Amino acid sequence: MADDMTEQVAVKRVYDHLLIRDKISAVLEAKQALELFPESKSLQASYIRALCESGNEIEAWEQWERKAKIFEGSQPDRQMLEMLAWGVLNKADGSNQLSIRLTALLGAAFTHDAKAVPLLCAHLRSSNAMLRSIAVKLAASYGDALLRDEISRLLKEEKVWYVRLNVIKAIGHLRIEELRPQLKEIVGNPKTLAEEKAAAIVSLVSMYDAIDREEIVRLARSDRAGLRQLACEVVCHLSGHEHIALIAPLLQDASPDVRLSALNAFGLMRVAEVGGVPAVKLIAGNLNDSSPAVAITAAWCALLTDPAVGEKKLEEWLDHENVDYVRQAAAALSVSGTYGLKLSSKKIKTLKDPYAKVNLALGLIGQRTHVKQSCQILYDAFFEKNQVLWMWDSSFNPLFRSLAPSRVSHIEQIPHYPMVVDQMTRLEILSVLSIVRFPKAQDAVKSFLQNQTWGVTGAAAATLLQEGDDDDLTAVRGLLNDADEKIRVQAALILAMVGGDPAAVKVLQEAYSHVDREMKVHILEALAHVGDAQSIPFLTEILKEPFQILRVVAASALIQCLYH
């Protein structure tokens, strides 16, 4: 009994040193105790934890391997594996290399574990603006009070505009209601950058579950254009038909942004009349607006209430000499549902611009009309001889997303960002061909994978990726057994990163040993995204890798697979 008590006291002394952050003493205490009780599982665990917290993650791993028999069981010791993985992440967070620290930040945040909160808090106070920016984005997926307080502080103190933009977005995502007045001030301030104002409006709108009439009146009659625009967005967000008369005068507002928001509200809410006056009469003046974005939106709005008027105006825009206006009109027509079928079917035969044709084709496929012809248009665009990068353009109106040549700039946070955006855009087009079972869909996917180096970094995953629908990736799934290993691996990466498909795991693990280091990182990120328990033994072995960045990504993946 005395021996047991001595062992317990030794374990307690190790953890006491860790509690007061005396990590060196904790390691020494554990070493001395293990000389007396070398087979003690609890002492071994405390020693490994002390090594992890003191930054000796490699020594901790070696100790765990030497004493693996103590921890043997029918299942892996998940607690120990998690401890080792966090040791890797915490050590990397103190690295002098920015890329290692960034990878550690992403890896910790993607675990969605409470242990990531202190690390996120530290990076929200980082002197590096890029790390602060990414930390804000990642913190928005957590609801912890500490992170909310830090984001609230940044709204007052942050000076770097792109970090500030992410702070405003995070406030809306977290619904920090006490910051409404500050957001309204941002919206109403004429000196606010357009991007900040738009982000603040979106954040404010997301906070409203209800609104009283007096507040809408104050917003709609404000002398600040941003607040009038907010009135339109809130009424639309709440589908407040009883308040539509308050925003009808804003159709003739002096600000084109306000006019655009009012038209969007009218269109989305399918307003037929206001006070006995038909909606098409109310928007008549907007059909010839000096702002092309407003005029195209008015034509779309008219199409939903009086198709004859709307079709005529949209056709004029589709015949315009400015190709940007043509593409936006096509994008507006493509989201008009059945109202736009007649004009889309007519103009898709005569339009010259390939991007506008793709926009119309997507609308027709959505209505399952002229599917074969529309799929061929998408397919031909894919194999255009003079290939340029693609993107989705919503700059005219957020409701109308138009395929367009990429104007995306490089950004510090994501390597090869324009290429990443292009790949995601093209994959979305391919998924449409796959959904409708276009006979050449798999050939298109195969060609895409042969000619692209598919790799989405962790930062890109954090900012771009969404869970895909299972049906979207049928053509990709069929390439997992292709004879060409490059195609198999690329297909597996897409299935894992976009679809979270466990079918990709085996292909990725088999390829890992003979690909370059950058591709190894992508494979580990993909395995993390799937979170399959079958990857645990494989990822555990990667913790032996000599390259720190691989150990960091593997550690994050291991935690996600342990508790997926």
Side-chain angles (χ1 to χ4, degrees):
M1 187 68 179
D3 287 347
D4 290 342
M5 284 298 294
T6 304
E7 182 182 336
Q8 290 173 9
V9 168
V11 172
K12 184 177 183 301
R13 285 178 63 85
V14 175
Y15 285 117
D16 285 347
H17 283 299
L18 291 175
L19 185 64
I20 61 172
R21 314 301 294 167
D22 185 0
K23 301 166 187 177
I24 295 174
S25 296
V27 171
L28 292 174
E29 192 81 46
K31 275 185 177 180
Q32 292 171 2
L34 282 171
E35 291 177 3
L36 297 173
F37 308 101
E39 300 304 314
S40 168
K41 182 176 179 179
S42 55
L43 264 175
Q44 290 290 350
S46 66
Y47 179 42
I48 291 171
R49 177 173 173 181
L51 288 170
C52 287
E53 293 200 16
S54 64
N56 297 318
E57 37 115 355
I58 295 177
E59 189 179 343
W61 167 256
E62 291 172 348
Q63 179 69 14
W64 184 78
E65 271 208 314
R66 283 195 296 268
K67 298 296 182 179
K69 288 183 180 180
I70 295 176
F71 300 99
E72 276 184 354
S74 58
Q75 296 292 330
D77 192 312
R78 289 174 175 253
Q79 188 175 3
M80 290 302 300
L81 290 176
E82 183 187 10
M83 186 190 300
L84 288 162
W86 275 109
V88 174
L89 291 172
N90 288 325
K91 172 69 177 294
D93 187 52
S95 173
N96 292 325
Q97 296 182 48
L98 180 61
S99 61
I100 298 291
R101 290 169 63 199
L102 174 58
T103 304
L105 171 62
L106 291 164
F110 290 162
T111 66
H112 293 286
D113 191 305
K115 293 184 181 71
V117 172
L119 191 146
L120 282 167
C121 279
H123 283 289
L124 288 171
R125 292 183 172 272
S126 171
S127 59
N128 184 291
M130 186 185 79
L131 288 176
R132 287 201 310 278
S133 175
I134 293 176
V136 169
K137 283 187 176 185
L138 296 170
S141 63
Y142 287 71
D144 299 74
L146 279 173
L147 298 177
R148 293 167 68 94
D149 290 345
E150 284 297 316
I151 288 171
S152 299
R153 176 189 62 79
L154 284 170
L155 184 66
K156 300 175 186 176
E157 301 177 6
E158 185 57 60
K159 303 300 181 187
V160 179
W161 80 269
Y162 68 84
V163 182
R164 185 173 171 80
L165 192 64
N166 286 333
V167 168
I168 293 169
K169 292 176 181 177
I171 289 168
H173 189 83
L174 293 169
R175 294 174 67 96
I176 307 178
E177 305 240 356
E178 59 269 26
L179 295 179
R180 269 194 201 180
Q182 290 91 323
L183 291 180
K184 285 183 179 178
E185 186 60 34
I186 291 170
V187 169
N189 190 335
K191 296 182 179 179
T192 299
L193 294 173
E195 294 90 341
E196 283 190 23
K197 185 176 81 167
I201 287 174
V202 171
S203 291
L204 276 167
V205 168
S206 69
M207 293 183 191
Y208 281 101
D209 294 320
I211 188 170
D212 57 58
R213 191 173 179 83
E214 289 73 19
E215 185 170 0
I216 294 180
V217 169
R218 283 195 298 273
L219 292 173
R221 296 178 182 175
S222 170
D223 58 356
R224 297 183 177 186
L227 294 180
R228 298 196 299 274
Q229 187 178 355
L230 177 61
C232 300
E233 300 289 345
V234 170
V235 169
C236 183
H237 173 67
L238 299 175
S239 294
H241 286 272
E242 68 276 16
H243 304 307
I244 199 69
L246 294 175
I247 66 169
L250 300 179
L251 293 166
Q252 280 75 51
D253 195 90
S255 165
D257 290 338
V258 177
R259 298 197 299 273
L260 187 70
S261 291
L263 286 165
N264 284 347
F266 265 61
L268 289 173
M269 294 169 66
R270 297 293 192 271
V271 176
E273 55 88 24
V274 179
V277 180
V280 71
K281 283 192 175 182
L282 292 171
I283 65 174
N286 302 108
L287 292 170
N288 298 306
D289 199 282
S290 58
S291 164
V294 173
I296 291 170
T297 304
W300 163 77
C301 197
L303 180 67
L304 304 180
T305 54
D306 191 333
V309 174
E311 279 185 7
K312 180 182 176 183
K313 285 297 179 181
L314 277 174
E315 186 165 12
E316 290 175 7
W317 285 108
L318 289 169
D319 293 331
H320 202 280
E321 60 184 16
N322 187 312
V323 72
D324 289 329
Y325 302 158
V326 174
R327 291 168 187 165
Q328 287 300 318
L333 197 55
S334 72
V335 297
S336 301
T338 56
Y339 296 95
L341 285 180
K342 181 181 174 183
L343 184 57
S344 294
S345 302
K346 173 185 174 183
K347 299 303 290 186
I348 200 168
K349 300 172 184 175
T350 59
L351 282 180
K352 302 298 183 185
D353 181 66
Y355 297 97
K357 290 184 75 169
V358 167
N359 291 331
L360 291 184
L362 289 170
L364 289 171
I365 291 172
Q367 296 298 314
R368 297 300 188 268
T369 302
H370 303 299
V371 172
K372 185 176 180 180
Q373 175 191 1
S374 299
C375 284
Q376 190 63 49
I377 288 170
L378 299 187
Y379 184 83
D380 291 343
F382 226 88
F383 293 100
E384 185 72 31
K385 288 182 180 178
N386 301 317
Q387 284 283 4
V388 297
L389 298 182
W390 287 356
M391 71 170 195
W392 294 112
D393 181 13
S394 300
S395 57
F396 273 66
N397 187 329
L399 296 184
F400 309 145
R401 193 178 65 153
S402 167
L403 185 70
S406 180
R407 297 191 300 273
V408 175
S409 302
H410 288 276
I411 60 176
E412 190 178 5
Q413 302 98 310
I414 305 176
H416 315 297
Y417 183 62
M419 180 68 76
V420 171
V421 172
D422 174 76
Q423 288 178 343
M424 296 299 292
T425 305
R426 289 177 182 275
L427 183 58
E428 192 171 336
I429 297 292
L430 286 174
S431 74
V432 173
L433 295 177
S434 177
I435 288 169
V436 296
R437 303 291 189 268
F438 182 58
K440 300 177 184 177
Q442 194 167 78
D443 291 338
V445 174
K446 190 169 181 177
S447 174
F448 174 60
L449 297 183
Q450 283 175 329
N451 297 304
Q452 297 277 351
T453 300
W454 180 267
V456 182
T457 65
T463 55
L464 292 176
L465 293 181
Q466 298 176 351
E467 290 293 331
D469 187 289
D470 193 57
D471 288 339
D472 292 0
L473 300 167
T474 303
V476 180
R477 192 173 291 108
L479 296 172
L480 285 178
N481 299 312
D482 195 89
D484 187 333
E485 184 184 58
K486 178 183 178 182
I487 290 176
R488 290 200 306 273
V489 174
Q490 304 283 27
L493 283 171
I494 293 174
L495 286 172
M497 295 296 283
V498 182
D501 194 333
V505 170
K506 183 180 178 183
V507 174
L508 295 174
Q509 290 183 5
E510 288 175 349
Y512 182 86
S513 62
H514 49 274
V515 296
D516 60 35
R517 197 187 313 172
E518 184 178 2
M519 183 56 74
K520 285 182 177 181
V521 170
H522 296 323
I523 286 175
L524 294 173
E525 290 171 342
L527 292 175
H529 201 75
V530 176
D532 193 327
Q534 295 179 37
S535 298
I536 292 173
F538 174 81
L539 293 168
T540 303
E541 288 299 307
I542 306 301
L543 295 183
K544 300 177 185 177
E545 285 271 9
F547 302 110
Q548 188 177 18
I549 197 157
L550 295 180
R551 295 201 306 275
V552 172
V553 182
S556 174
L558 179 58
I559 296 169
Q560 292 175 69
C561 290
L562 284 168
Y563 299 105
H564 191 273

Short mmCIF file of all heavy atoms in Angstrom, two decimals, residues 336-358:
data_model
loop_
_atom_site.label_atom_id
_atom_site.label_comp_id
_atom_site.label_asym_id
_atom_site.label_seq_id
_atom_site.Cartn_x
_atom_site.Cartn_y
_atom_site.Cartn_z
N SER A 336 -33.70 33.08 -63.00
CA SER A 336 -35.11 33.48 -63.08
C SER A 336 -36.07 32.31 -63.13
O SER A 336 -37.28 32.52 -63.25
CB SER A 336 -35.31 34.37 -64.33
OG SER A 336 -34.49 35.50 -64.29
N GLY A 337 -35.53 31.09 -63.06
CA GLY A 337 -36.41 29.92 -63.07
C GLY A 337 -37.17 29.79 -64.37
O GLY A 337 -36.67 30.09 -65.46
N THR A 338 -38.42 29.39 -64.25
CA THR A 338 -39.24 29.17 -65.45
C THR A 338 -39.53 30.47 -66.19
O THR A 338 -39.80 30.45 -67.39
CB THR A 338 -40.58 28.51 -65.06
OG1 THR A 338 -41.24 29.32 -64.08
CG2 THR A 338 -40.34 27.12 -64.49
N TYR A 339 -39.45 31.62 -65.48
CA TYR A 339 -39.73 32.90 -66.14
C TYR A 339 -38.72 33.21 -67.24
O TYR A 339 -39.02 33.93 -68.18
CB TYR A 339 -39.71 34.05 -65.11
CG TYR A 339 -40.78 33.95 -64.06
CD1 TYR A 339 -40.51 33.36 -62.83
CD2 TYR A 339 -42.06 34.45 -64.29
CE1 TYR A 339 -41.49 33.27 -61.85
CE2 TYR A 339 -43.05 34.37 -63.31
CZ TYR A 339 -42.76 33.78 -62.09
OH TYR A 339 -43.73 33.68 -61.14
N GLY A 340 -37.50 32.68 -67.10
CA GLY A 340 -36.47 33.00 -68.08
C GLY A 340 -36.26 31.96 -69.15
O GLY A 340 -35.39 32.12 -70.02
N LEU A 341 -37.06 30.88 -69.14
CA LEU A 341 -36.82 29.78 -70.08
C LEU A 341 -36.96 30.20 -71.54
O LEU A 341 -36.13 29.84 -72.38
CB LEU A 341 -37.78 28.62 -69.79
CG LEU A 341 -37.46 27.77 -68.56
CD1 LEU A 341 -38.51 26.67 -68.39
CD2 LEU A 341 -36.08 27.15 -68.69
N LYS A 342 -38.00 30.93 -71.84
CA LYS A 342 -38.26 31.31 -73.24
C LYS A 342 -37.11 32.12 -73.82
O LYS A 342 -36.58 31.81 -74.90
CB LYS A 342 -39.56 32.11 -73.32
CG LYS A 342 -39.94 32.53 -74.73
CD LYS A 342 -41.24 33.35 -74.72
CE LYS A 342 -41.56 33.89 -76.10
NZ LYS A 342 -42.78 34.75 -76.07
N LEU A 343 -36.68 33.16 -73.10
CA LEU A 343 -35.61 34.02 -73.60
C LEU A 343 -34.27 33.28 -73.59
O LEU A 343 -33.47 33.42 -74.52
CB LEU A 343 -35.52 35.30 -72.75
CG LEU A 343 -34.51 36.34 -73.22
CD1 LEU A 343 -34.77 36.76 -74.65
CD2 LEU A 343 -34.53 37.56 -72.29
N SER A 344 -34.01 32.47 -72.56
CA SER A 344 -32.75 31.71 -72.49
C SER A 344 -32.65 30.75 -73.67
O SER A 344 -31.59 30.63 -74.30
CB SER A 344 -32.67 30.93 -71.18
OG SER A 344 -32.58 31.78 -70.07
N SER A 345 -33.72 30.06 -73.98
CA SER A 345 -33.73 29.10 -75.09
C SER A 345 -33.46 29.80 -76.42
O SER A 345 -32.82 29.22 -77.31
CB SER A 345 -35.07 28.37 -75.15
OG SER A 345 -35.33 27.70 -73.94
N LYS A 346 -33.92 31.03 -76.53
CA LYS A 346 -33.73 31.79 -77.76
C LYS A 346 -32.29 32.31 -77.87
O LYS A 346 -31.63 32.14 -78.90
CB LYS A 346 -34.72 32.95 -77.79
CG LYS A 346 -34.52 33.93 -78.95
CD LYS A 346 -35.47 35.12 -78.83
CE LYS A 346 -35.17 36.16 -79.90
NZ LYS A 346 -36.04 37.37 -79.74
N LYS A 347 -31.80 32.94 -76.80
CA LYS A 347 -30.53 33.65 -76.88
C LYS A 347 -29.31 32.73 -76.80
O LYS A 347 -28.23 33.11 -77.25
CB LYS A 347 -30.43 34.71 -75.76
CG LYS A 347 -31.51 35.78 -75.83
CD LYS A 347 -31.53 36.51 -77.16
CE LYS A 347 -30.33 37.40 -77.37
NZ LYS A 347 -30.42 38.21 -78.60
N ILE A 348 -29.48 31.53 -76.24
CA ILE A 348 -28.33 30.63 -76.13
C ILE A 348 -27.83 30.20 -77.51
O ILE A 348 -26.68 29.80 -77.68
CB ILE A 348 -28.68 29.40 -75.26
CG1 ILE A 348 -27.38 28.76 -74.74
CG2 ILE A 348 -29.52 28.39 -76.04
CD1 ILE A 348 -27.61 27.73 -73.66
N LYS A 349 -28.70 30.33 -78.51
CA LYS A 349 -28.32 29.96 -79.88
C LYS A 349 -27.54 31.07 -80.59
O LYS A 349 -26.83 30.81 -81.57
CB LYS A 349 -29.57 29.63 -80.70
CG LYS A 349 -30.38 28.46 -80.14
CD LYS A 349 -31.70 28.32 -80.89
CE LYS A 349 -32.57 27.23 -80.28
NZ LYS A 349 -33.91 27.15 -80.92
N THR A 350 -27.70 32.31 -80.13
CA THR A 350 -27.13 33.44 -80.87
C THR A 350 -26.00 34.17 -80.12
O THR A 350 -25.24 34.90 -80.76
CB THR A 350 -28.24 34.47 -81.20
OG1 THR A 350 -28.84 34.92 -79.98
CG2 THR A 350 -29.30 33.83 -82.08
N LEU A 351 -25.91 34.00 -78.80
CA LEU A 351 -24.86 34.71 -78.05
C LEU A 351 -23.47 34.27 -78.50
O LEU A 351 -23.23 33.08 -78.73
CB LEU A 351 -25.01 34.45 -76.55
CG LEU A 351 -26.10 35.23 -75.81
CD1 LEU A 351 -26.10 34.85 -74.33
CD2 LEU A 351 -25.91 36.73 -75.95
N LYS A 352 -22.57 35.22 -78.59
CA LYS A 352 -21.20 34.92 -79.02
C LYS A 352 -20.27 34.68 -77.84
O LYS A 352 -19.33 33.88 -77.93
CB LYS A 352 -20.65 36.08 -79.87
CG LYS A 352 -21.49 36.41 -81.11
CD LYS A 352 -21.54 35.23 -82.07
CE LYS A 352 -22.34 35.60 -83.34
NZ LYS A 352 -22.51 34.43 -84.22
N ASP A 353 -20.50 35.41 -76.76
CA ASP A 353 -19.59 35.31 -75.62
C ASP A 353 -19.74 33.95 -74.93
O ASP A 353 -20.83 33.57 -74.49
CB ASP A 353 -19.89 36.42 -74.60
CG ASP A 353 -18.96 36.36 -73.41
OD1 ASP A 353 -17.75 36.58 -73.58
OD2 ASP A 353 -19.43 36.04 -72.30
N PRO A 354 -18.66 33.16 -74.80
CA PRO A 354 -18.76 31.81 -74.22
C PRO A 354 -19.17 31.82 -72.75
O PRO A 354 -19.85 30.90 -72.29
CB PRO A 354 -17.35 31.23 -74.40
CG PRO A 354 -16.45 32.43 -74.56
CD PRO A 354 -17.28 33.47 -75.23
N TYR A 355 -18.79 32.87 -72.01
CA TYR A 355 -19.14 32.92 -70.59
C TYR A 355 -20.63 33.18 -70.41
O TYR A 355 -21.27 32.58 -69.55
CB TYR A 355 -18.30 33.99 -69.88
CG TYR A 355 -16.83 33.69 -69.92
CD1 TYR A 355 -16.01 34.27 -70.89
CD2 TYR A 355 -16.25 32.82 -69.01
CE1 TYR A 355 -14.66 33.99 -70.95
CE2 TYR A 355 -14.90 32.54 -69.05
CZ TYR A 355 -14.10 33.13 -70.02
OH TYR A 355 -12.76 32.84 -70.08
N ALA A 356 -21.17 34.08 -71.20
CA ALA A 356 -22.61 34.34 -71.14
C ALA A 356 -23.40 33.09 -71.52
O ALA A 356 -24.43 32.77 -70.91
CB ALA A 356 -22.98 35.51 -72.06
N LYS A 357 -22.90 32.37 -72.53
CA LYS A 357 -23.58 31.12 -72.94
C LYS A 357 -23.56 30.09 -71.82
O LYS A 357 -24.56 29.39 -71.59
CB LYS A 357 -22.92 30.56 -74.20
CG LYS A 357 -23.16 31.38 -75.45
CD LYS A 357 -22.58 30.72 -76.69
CE LYS A 357 -23.43 29.55 -77.14
NZ LYS A 357 -23.04 29.06 -78.49
N VAL A 358 -22.44 30.01 -71.11
CA VAL A 358 -22.36 29.07 -69.98
C VAL A 358 -23.36 29.47 -68.90
O VAL A 358 -24.04 28.60 -68.32
CB VAL A 358 -20.93 29.02 -69.41
CG1 VAL A 358 -20.91 28.31 -68.05
CG2 VAL A 358 -19.99 28.31 -70.37
#
